[in-house]
Amino acid sequence: MPDNRRSRTITEGVQRSPNRSMLRAVGFGDGDFNKPIVGIANSYSTITPCNIGLGKLTDRAEAAVRAAAAMPQVFGTITVSDGIAMGTEGMKYSLVSREVIADSIETACNAQAMDGVVTIGGCDKNMPGAMIAIARMNIPAIFVYGGTIKPGHLNGRDLTIVSAFEAVGEFSANKISENELLAVERSACPGAGSCGGMYTANTMSSAIEAIGMSLPYSSTMAAEDAEKADSAARSGEVLVEAIRKQLLPRKIMTRKAFENAIAVVMAIGGSTNAVLHLLAIAHAAEVGLSLDDFETIRERVPVLCELKPSGRYATTDFHRVGGVPQVMKMLLAHGLIDGDQMTITGRTIAQNLKDVPERPSKEQDVIRQWDKPLYPQGHLAIMHGNLAAEGAVAKISGIKHMEITGPARIFDREEECLEAILADKIKKGDVVVIRFEGPKGGPGMREMLSPTSAIIGAGLGDAVGLITDGRFSGGTYGLVVGHVAPEAAVGGLIALVHEGDSVTIDAGKRLLQLNVSDSEIARRRAVWKAPAPRYTRGVLAKYAAQVSSACIGAVTQA
């Protein structure tokens, strides 16, 4: 484990003068060498609206760290825009970027012997990437979320980026005109911030707040509001205090803290990606967490919030009525989270929630009253069966039918499936199978927002099932099952499904089943050969060689 009081190496030993000379060149004066060195990992980028506002937050955090008598050192990390890459070959790099972000933060902090780090991120992989690095290093750290985008507006309805993807399906189904499609495109994303429903970015920011590694209320603030910048400054102050107290991440990121986060994800109707990312973060923190833990917690935690994509409200609405603290106080009052867990504020969860009412206001319905939940149990179901021997994840909120048995429609690439949907080749009762899109097989485990949105737009959301060894966007809903493991590329049963085979998705029984005899499966397995890798050089080839099963978070570190 790295030394957690590491900046003393700047002033001790034979290398003192050369080290000081380099630091003087970046702003250190005579009185600064005994101050804590604080890294500020800034993922500012104009690649995506999620990250375009992070420069201002970095400036506020840097100034606050300096005012708190520490020495800030700003460095950059990458980002990938999932929304822009979605549906393209570029999306294969999205999950890879989680590892690159984690590795870059760990590398910079450990190479420069930083005493602590403020990580500032916006798009989906910034958050788990930063948290994986924080868990590995175990130096005082805090996460600052860049904030949610405000909803777009068109003809009296709120829009998010998912509205644009669904509009493509509606246009292809001749439900809207080209001018209406263009109007949605122009209105869906009005400014800076991450996708505005309870999609992956807002889900993960909420989970990090629930774990205790970011400030209360910070996970649902709008990117463009003044309180977001104020929260970034306060985060810098809190981090410096954590360094002085040596409040380390692994004192906060306990097994109980992860259970708290899972409960919150269930209560707010969060993204399936939370399963993958929380498993990966727990792995980095050396906390035992499994897929079945999500199912155990799902069974006892209701869905309390009606948030997009399967509900009516945006994250800005959720923030306005109390956000994550309000939900956590409700869960605490009913014994579903542990209030004794420490947070980066130096106070416990219960202490942070002391002044939050146990019941939300009755003047709103974004957060339901406890006795009138949106659903009595959580919405992220862990599936098993012969098609998912290691497990799979289904998001079962917002669907009318919990079971479908139908003929398999086989696609070995996402693009092939999307073409078939847009060409009206997918019919009611079909079970779409998209395979060789897993962590190794893709590689990179692409999100299937384009085909799932096209299915919704075509009016087939309640009539078609979909399974994949890839992932789903937080904007996905419907009878869809992802993270199927073992994946096709390593010989999982999903690789042996033939066109027209009977497949059952039963969310109620948490069952994913290929209805073919054992003898026929054995015959198919005997003649199956793994396909050649799609990439043999570069980052995707390296990733495919190292990545684990989705059932343990698609991690690349042993």
Side-chain angles (χ1 to χ4, degrees), residues 334-386:
H334 290 84
L336 292 173
I337 63 171
D338 187 336
D340 293 332
Q341 295 304 297
M342 180 55 61
T343 75
I344 190 60
T345 65
R347 298 185 296 274
T348 66
I349 292 288
Q351 288 170 334
N352 284 343
L353 298 176
K354 180 173 66 71
D355 296 327
V356 178
E358 291 187 2
R359 298 179 181 85
S361 168
K362 293 184 178 180
E363 303 303 313
Q364 56 80 48
D365 60 355
V366 181
I367 304 174
R368 298 289 187 92
Q369 299 299 316
W370 185 263
D371 59 352
K372 295 181 179 179
L374 193 63
Y375 303 103
Q377 292 181 313
H379 64 300
L380 299 181
I382 304 305
M383 310 285 277
H384 291 283
N386 65 0

Side-chain angles (χ1 to χ4, degrees), residues 83-84 86 152-154 157-172 176-178 180-190 195-196 199 308-309 418 422 449-458 473 475 477:
I84 296 172
M86 197 73 69
H153 302 285
L154 181 67
R157 66 185 179 113
D158 288 348
L159 301 180
T160 69
I161 184 61
V162 174
S163 306
F165 280 91
E166 292 178 359
V168 172
E170 292 172 328
F171 173 70
S172 298
I176 61 173
S177 68
E178 186 173 358
E180 290 172 309
L181 172 61
L182 185 59
V184 172
E185 175 201 311
R186 287 171 170 165
S187 305
C189 295
C195 298
Y199 310 143
K308 292 178 181 292
L418 182 60
L422 297 181
L449 180 59
S450 292
T452 57
S453 295
I455 287 170
I456 296 293
S473 162
Y477 60 103

Side-chain angles (χ1 to χ4, degrees), residues 1 6 16 45 142 163 208 233 245 300 311 352 362 403 405 421 441 449 453 457 466 475 488 498 517 542:
M1 194 65 62
R6 299 181 297 174
R16 183 173 77 170
S45 172
I142 192 168
S163 306
I208 293 168
K245 293 179 178 178
R300 62 176 186 251
N352 284 343
K362 293 184 178 180
E403 186 271 337
T405 295
I421 297 167
L449 180 59
S453 295
L466 188 150
H498 287 186
S517 69
K542 288 192 290 185

Side-chain angles (χ1 to χ4, degrees), residues 99-142:
E99 310 307 304
V100 176
I101 292 164
D103 291 350
S104 67
I105 294 172
E106 178 188 354
T107 299
C109 289
N110 283 346
Q112 304 308 132
M114 294 174 184
D115 294 285
V117 63
V118 179
T119 58
I120 303 176
C123 201
D124 293 7
K125 305 311 173 297
N126 298 172
M127 283 154 283
M131 290 292 287
I132 288 168
I134 287 167
R136 287 181 194 165
M137 296 184 297
N138 200 33
I139 61 174
I142 192 168

